[in-house]
Amino acid sequence: MGTFRKAPRTGLLLAAAAGSAACAGLAIPAPARVSLTALGSYASGVFGAGAAEIPAHDPSTQRLFVVNANDVRVDVLDVRDPMRPRKVGALEARSLGGSANSVAVARGLVAVAIEAERKQEDGVVALYEAASLLLRAVVPVGALPDCVAFTPDGRWLVVANEGEPDAAYRVDPEGSVSLIDLRGGVERPRVATADFRAFDARGDELRAAGVRLFGPGATVSQDLEPEFVTTLPDSRRAWVTLQENNALAEVDVHEARVTRIVPLAFKDHRLAGNALDPSDRDGGIRIRSWPVYGMYQPDAIANYRFRGETLLVTANEGDTRDYAGFREEARVQDLVLDPQVFPAAETLQHPENLGRLKVTRALGSADGAVFQRLFAFGARSFSIWTLRGEQVFDSGSGFESATAFALPDAFNADHADNDSFDSRSDDRGPEPEGVVLGRIAGRTYAFVGLERVGGILVYDVTDPRDVGFRSYVNRRNFAVDACWKADAGGACRTGPGSANPEALDLGPEGLIFVPAHQSPIGAPLLVVANEVSGTTTLYRVDVR
């Protein structure tokens, strides 16, 4: 893996790229070193309330627009000096809905996705001028708009409307994708909806292909929940993650039509290269092969080209439906395992083995009572896929191997507690959530954010057949309490004034790459919004 060094008092960890044996399945023949140097950070002072979630950059004004869910707004940061980002304004969204969820910028226009006060109702996308911050238009979209993205030509907006059910699972709106046509100008936006109703009669076919459709009483279009968007270079197509459904959807932007649903199959953790640590009660770090499958369930998605082919890159976070009216989670120790498939079930279900691992009840059992297979949430990895849904690369057990090597005392820690060693091993591990791609000196790099333990992993993905780990940086200080205020039980209280600034960055949520020609310093930047610490940090990216 190379040599890690810890900077005094900051918890900053860097991994050099020499030698990759510690990361299973990664081959690095002659790597270049990719370093991330933290330049500056803006701190909201709000702990655990999503005060910094999704960032977007406007090169014409050198401003960052950062979703602040705590205050139902988008904070505007001046980053002309990236070492001293400062807040210069805000896009207030409280009068337009219940929460701002996503932001995107193109051609001097800022688009903000805002869910309704009751998130099962239709939301809106608000359009602002990046320079004046004036509100120009409010466009109705579907229920729970969770991600908004411009097409590369800046003429269309693609909005993933997740359509989550209410807590009782009695109101379940349809998932959809809104397409906003801006070719007539911001004063005359036109919106169309790409829904999934054409697939309602194909539920059995989709299930047989591997798409997870299991919501109680739900149609296909209600059950599918669009999460994140990437738009292709031709500005005519977009791909959307269907996280809970372990699938992707292709959308024709101009025709406002879902053209394909592509299942992502499952990850076999019995294979050595796909090992994981499934227990928070095993007394240490035990990354091993286990008889369990991982559902990729990607959150963020990006795309790039290699030898004329478009490839999709996903951060395989995982997600679960855990509502008062419907709970799919179970621990392996609480299931009845088929003795013919699992002859050592009693040992396997011990807490220090697989017993504590959270899996779904919605797969793996023919009768809902006895389980022949086990399916965990997420894949603890990132993957590269063709547009046919064929996996070209997966990082295997690389994330847990890298963090175990770099953070032996904070392995699989939670993002809100600096004294939580191994606490997330039973539940999605490091939990990769965000991924962005950057092109530097003719090569393509993937930057992957780990929501729980924190930090950014960098991979060279130029050739998907020869992906190489390059570095890991974690700007988190584990030596201090995560927040200033705690309740009687010792848990951190959320809200303004509660974040401990010495803890630095907790819970990376959204990432953006700023290429050198758009950067205020003429060098590539990586911007990371951290939802738990409420901080937005700018890194300089150097390749040597």
Side-chain angles (χ1 to χ4, degrees), residues 437-453:
L437 304 178
R439 188 84 173 161
I440 306 173
R443 302 195 69 80
T444 302
Y445 296 93
F447 303 85
V448 185
L450 302 182
E451 182 182 8
R452 295 292 173 167
V453 68

Side-chain angles (χ1 to χ4, degrees), residues 316-318 380 424 427-433 449-452:
N316 305 320
E317 178 195 25
R380 310 187 185 198
R424 295 295 299 181
D427 191 4
R428 292 177 275 175
E431 209 163 313
E433 177 160 2
L450 302 182
E451 182 182 8
R452 295 292 173 167

Side-chain angles (χ1 to χ4, degrees), residues 314-327:
T314 59
N316 305 320
E317 178 195 25
D319 203 0
T320 173
R321 285 179 173 155
D322 189 32
Y323 300 94
F326 177 74
R327 300 184 187 276

Side-chain angles (χ1 to χ4, degrees), residues 23-81:
C23 274
L26 301 184
I28 308 177
R33 176 183 170 84
V34 180
S35 62
L36 300 179
T37 304
L39 300 178
S41 185
Y42 171 78
S44 68
V46 177
F47 179 86
E53 291 197 339
I54 305 297
H57 175 250
D58 176 46
S60 63
T61 60
Q62 290 303 337
R63 287 175 168 177
L64 288 179
F65 295 84
V66 183
V67 170
N68 183 334
N70 178 74
D71 294 325
V72 196
R73 71 185 185 207
V74 174
D75 290 332
V76 183
L77 309 181
D78 184 326
V79 293
R80 287 176 293 179
D81 180 358

